[in-house]
């Protein structure tokens, strides 16, 4: 998945997400009830998934989109569901999960292909205190293993728990960048 920030420096940023899929593997996607629409000038290529996939199917579908072999996709889905304590909900429709469970599923969906860069917007939103601690620990493990983790949040408390460095943006422009332990006095 490729992402790009678009917009001027008026303070608004819009994320454009583009999923590039190799059509040669469409038969694998079809097995997971995934269909690729035809792209044209009016309608870009989009990914359409079965109306009510299970948590496991969500992860396996994204794994298939990233062309992970079927066996690896199944193993990775099981591993990630266990990581965020969703194993018991693996075969339930994702639509019936609580907000926090959906947030955790979305988090591991972004990890299914072992990305080098992980961009998260308000990742702790909707999480209970235990899940927030587990999120922090997971993100720190990812960072130690070499994944670049970028978190966007307006809640400085969340950033204090998650980040080593902080970048302040005001009206679309960077106005400061500091290690959290070296923030200028009066800005903490």
């Amino acid at each position: 998945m490729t992402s790009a920030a678009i917009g001027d420096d008026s303070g608004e940023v819009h994320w454009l997400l583009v999923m590039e899929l190799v059509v040669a593997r469409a038969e694998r996607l079809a097995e997971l009830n995934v269909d690729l629409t035809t792209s044209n000038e009016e309608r870009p290529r989009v990914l359409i998934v079965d109306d009510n996939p299970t948590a496991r199917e969500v992860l396996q579908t994204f794994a298939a989109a990233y062309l992970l072999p079927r066996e690896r996709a199944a193993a990775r889905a099981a591993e990630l569901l266990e990581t965020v304590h969703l194993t018991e909900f693996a075969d339930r429709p994702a639509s019936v999960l609580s907000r926090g469970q959906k947030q955790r599923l979305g988090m591991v969906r972004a990890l299914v292909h072992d990305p080098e860069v992980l961009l998260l917007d308000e990742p702790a939103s909707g999480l209970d205190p235990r899940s927030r601690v587990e999120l922090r620990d997971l993100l720190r493990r990812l960072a130690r293993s070499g994944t670049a983790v970028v978190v966007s949040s307006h809640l400085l408390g969340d950033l204090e728990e998650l980040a080593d460095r902080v970048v302040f943006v005001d009206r679309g422009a960077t106005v400061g960048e500091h290690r959290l332990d070296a923030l200028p006095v009066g800005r903490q």
Side-chain angles (χ1 to χ4, degrees), residues 124 132 153-163 180:
R132 293 170 75 91
S153 180
H154 67 281
L155 301 174
L156 294 181
D158 286 352
L159 295 176
E160 288 175 333
E161 294 176 11
L162 298 173
L180 278 176

Side-chain angles (χ1 to χ4, degrees), residues 2-3 36 49 80 107 150 155 175 179 188:
T2 306
S3 63
L36 296 175
V49 183
L80 292 170
M107 172 70 191
V150 180
L155 301 174
V175 296
R179 287 193 52 79
Q188 294 182 354

Side-chain angles (χ1 to χ4, degrees), residues 107-134:
M107 172 70 191
V108 294
R109 184 186 66 205
L111 297 175
V112 76
H113 65 296
D114 293 316
E116 292 180 24
V117 178
L118 181 62
L119 177 63
L120 302 170
D121 182 30
E122 305 284 354
S125 176
L127 296 181
D128 60 52
R130 181 186 119 204
S131 295
R132 293 170 75 91
V133 169
E134 291 171 352

